[in-house]
Every structure is written in structure tokens, then in C-alpha cells.
Amino acid sequence: MGLGTWQLTKNTAETVQYAIELGYHLIDTSSDYRTQPGIGKAIKNAGIAPEELYIASKVEETDDSYARTKSNLKELQLEYVDLMLIHRPPFIGVGEELWEGLIQAKNEGLVKDIGVSNYSVDLIELLIEKSGEVPAVNQIEWTPFGHSREMLDYCRQRKILIQAYSPLTRTKRLNDKTLNEIARIYGKSPAQILIRWNLQLGTVSIPKANQKPHLEEDLDVFDFELDEEDMRLLNGLNEHYSSLRSLQYI
Ligand SMILES: NC(=O)c1ccc[n+]([C@@H]2O[C@H](COP(=O)([O-])OP(=O)(O)OC[C@H]3O[C@@H](n4cnc5c(N)ncnc54)[C@H](OP(=O)(O)O)[C@@H]3O)[C@@H](O)[C@H]2O)c1
């Protein structure tokens, strides 16, 4: 799991540095989050080698993706990042040009892996068909309340990693009855159950937390395991719920 940084604009550098010191390795950002300069500062201040972290950023659908990759690196004060995503599909087409720019950036060593976000199965298939390049990641909204078995099966078969965004439902479903009953059994919080559900599914959640107790709690998910029945109960909560507009990949 990792740290999301959308709306983490208050004390970004201090918060991210604290997260790195706690043990967060994956940090998710984007050109439009306005958190890249703070993340760059946090990495420097934490005195950690960038290769010990996993930094993921994004280009926007209207960008020159190659140029944006370079400006993202400049803001982050990094020579390369681990992952660069197309933030969302463009209005027209599947984003071939954006993808070509990212492939170029990858070939030049500016990014290690490239991927997409908010893409449907059909759009990913078209992108692969046109470019021959399989995305390493699809970053999508993903919780027990809103997910897709079809997407999970497809990504497993194509070896595409699902990164789960808004994994805590932006707090909107944290008081769900079933979720709270399961949390009580394990002596964990509803947020920790949601993160653990992702871990056991093989999907990578990137919860955002500004508050230190939240950062600490969200990382404290490696000392318990949800049993099969509870995983089944959590999977059964699916109603294609979205805490944002809608599940954009369905
Ligand atoms: N690719 C995309 O289109 C896309 C879209 C949306 C999000 N994302 C990425 O996914 C990340 C996470 O999604 P998100 O920020 O939308 O929502 P989220 O992670 O589901 O929820 C964030 C909210 O949960 C609270 N929180 C964190 N830990 C908690 C805990 N243990 N108990 C109770 N509340 C807790 C946070 O509070 P505090 O901040 O007050 O601690 C914040 O209000 C984003 O930051 C971004 O990096 C990507």
C-alpha cells in the first residue's frame, strides 16, 4: 500500500516526510495535485535514497505527456520516477499520443513503468492493440462497495496491477454496519479493514491521510489476516458505489 496525496496540500513536505519515516514507500501524486514540490522536499529532508521509494505521478489527458513527464520530474527534484500514468482517457480516442510520449520517456529512462488510470477493459485492450505496450498499472476507484470482478480477472490475466484509489471511500462509508462488525472481530478500524481487503486481493491501496494518527493507523495492517468468509462478506458489499462521480472504468 502507499500514500495518496490528492488534497494533501496542507504541510505537504512535513506530512510526507513523516509518512516516509513511518515506512511508507509508495507515494502517489500528479501534475495537478500541487503536491510534487512538497514530496521532492520531503524526500530530500528524510535523507532517503529515491531508489528506496516508489514514486508514481500522472500526466493529464490534454498534456504533451513527454514534456509533462519532464516537468513532473523537475517539480519532484528527481532524475526518474517509478511510474507515470495517464490520469484519465481523453474525450476522443484511447490516448495513443499520450501513450507514445510515455513510451519515449520510458525508453529514455525517465520512468521505470508506465500505466493508465480510469481506463475500462475495452480501452486498455485498444491501447495494447495500437501500441503493443501493456500498461503496468490501472489506477481506479476500488473498494468493497465499488469494484468489478471482470476488471480484476482481466488485470490478473494481463498482469496489470490494480492501484485502488479513494480506498477509504473518502470516509463516506466508514460507518457501514457490516464493515464495522468485521472491524470489531479483528480489533481493527474500518479503514484498516478496507486496506487489508486490498492487500489480500493483490490490489494496492493508496489512502490519503493528513493526520498523523491516520497515517500510523493505515500502515498498521500487517499483523492480521481476514479469513475467507470475511473476504466473501466484503466482496458481497459491491454495489458499484463511487465516492466521486461514478466508477469510471465500468
Ligand atoms: N487517478 C485518479 O483519478 C484518482 C482519483 C482520486 C484519488 N486518487 C488517488 O488516491 C488517493 C486516495 O484517495 P482519496 O484521497 O480520494 O480518498 P481516501 O484515501 O479514500 O480518503 C481520504 C480521507 O480519509 C481520511 N482517513 C485516512 N485514514 C483514515 C483512517 N484511518 N480513519 C479515518 N479516516 C481516515 C483522510 O483524513 P485526513 O486527511 O484528515 O487524515 C481523508 O479525509 C488520492 O489522494 C490520490 O492520490 C486518484
Side-chain angles (χ1 to χ4, degrees):
M1 49 94 57
L3 175 69
T5 66
W6 179 34
Q7 296 176 337
L8 208 157
T9 44
K10 197 172 152 225
N11 303 327
T12 309
E14 291 81 353
T15 308
V16 174
Q17 184 180 344
Y18 185 71
I20 291 171
E21 287 164 357
L22 277 178
Y24 283 82
H25 283 275
L26 159 59
I27 298 164
D28 179 73
T29 183
S30 174
S31 51
D32 70 345
Y33 291 177
R34 292 179 291 114
T35 53
Q36 296 191 127
I39 293 169
K41 207 167 149 195
I43 296 170
K44 290 254 172 335
N45 291 348
I48 191 166
E51 52 270 27
E52 287 184 45
L53 298 170
Y54 188 96
I55 307 295
S57 187
K58 310 183 189 78
V59 300
E60 301 305 304
E61 66 273 31
T62 49
D63 281 344
D64 169 336
S65 61
Y66 179 78
R68 178 64 76 188
T69 298
K70 285 198 149 181
S71 67
N72 284 347
L73 292 181
K74 200 169 172 202
E75 282 192 6
L76 286 160
Q77 300 180 61
L78 292 172
E79 303 282 312
Y80 74 92
V81 287
D82 298 279
L83 181 67
M84 193 66 68
L85 304 173
I86 299 177
H87 206 154
R88 56 189 73 77
F91 288 117
I92 299 165
V94 295
E96 305 96 297
E97 273 186 37
L98 290 160
W99 199 229
E100 274 168 25
L102 292 192
I103 291 171
Q104 187 189 345
K106 185 182 165 193
N107 289 340
E108 292 179 14
L110 302 178
V111 302
K112 284 198 169 171
D113 276 318
I114 56 177
V116 295
S117 178
N118 298 303
Y119 269 58
S120 65
V121 168
D122 288 351
L123 277 181
I124 297 176
E125 272 303 295
L126 272 173
L127 195 62
I128 297 171
E129 209 175 277
K130 285 178 189 289
S131 66
E133 179 90 11
V134 181
V137 164
N138 191 18
Q139 185 179 110
I140 47 182
E141 188 171 0
W142 191 263
T143 67
F145 307 100
H147 61 280
S148 148
R149 185 76 223 183
E150 187 206 359
M151 178 63 83
L152 186 65
D153 290 343
Y154 169 76
C155 285
R156 281 180 175 163
Q157 179 238 324
R158 274 288 196 187
K159 297 195 175 11
I160 297 169
L161 184 76
I162 291 179
Q163 281 186 350
Y165 78 62
S166 305
L168 308 182
T169 67
R170 302 182 60 76
T171 74
K172 288 176 187 157
R173 300 297 292 269
L174 290 184
N175 57 5
D176 176 84
K177 191 164 164 273
T178 307
L179 179 61
N180 278 269
E181 275 165 14
I182 294 173
R184 194 164 34 77
I185 294 169
Y186 293 89
K188 289 287 178 181
S189 71
Q192 288 171 318
I193 299 297
L194 294 177
I195 295 166
R196 186 72 212 183
W197 173 79
N198 269 294
L199 276 173
Q200 290 185 214
L201 218 53
T203 51
V204 175
S205 62
I206 45 170
K208 173 261 182 185
N210 231 126
Q211 302 177 52
K212 285 183 177 178
H214 284 165
L215 285 167
E216 291 157 15
E217 189 179 300
D218 294 349
L219 203 58
D220 181 19
V221 291
F222 298 98
D223 61 351
F224 75 108
E225 191 170 343
L226 296 164
D227 70 21
E228 248 177 62
E229 172 62 10
D230 290 326
M231 283 299 284
R232 202 186 54 75
L233 278 173
L234 289 163
N235 290 336
L237 296 176
N238 193 14
E239 53 187 61
H240 293 163
Y241 170 80
S242 166
S243 60
L244 294 157
R245 285 171 298 275
S246 61
L247 295 186
Q248 299 186 32
Y249 53 91
I250 287 185

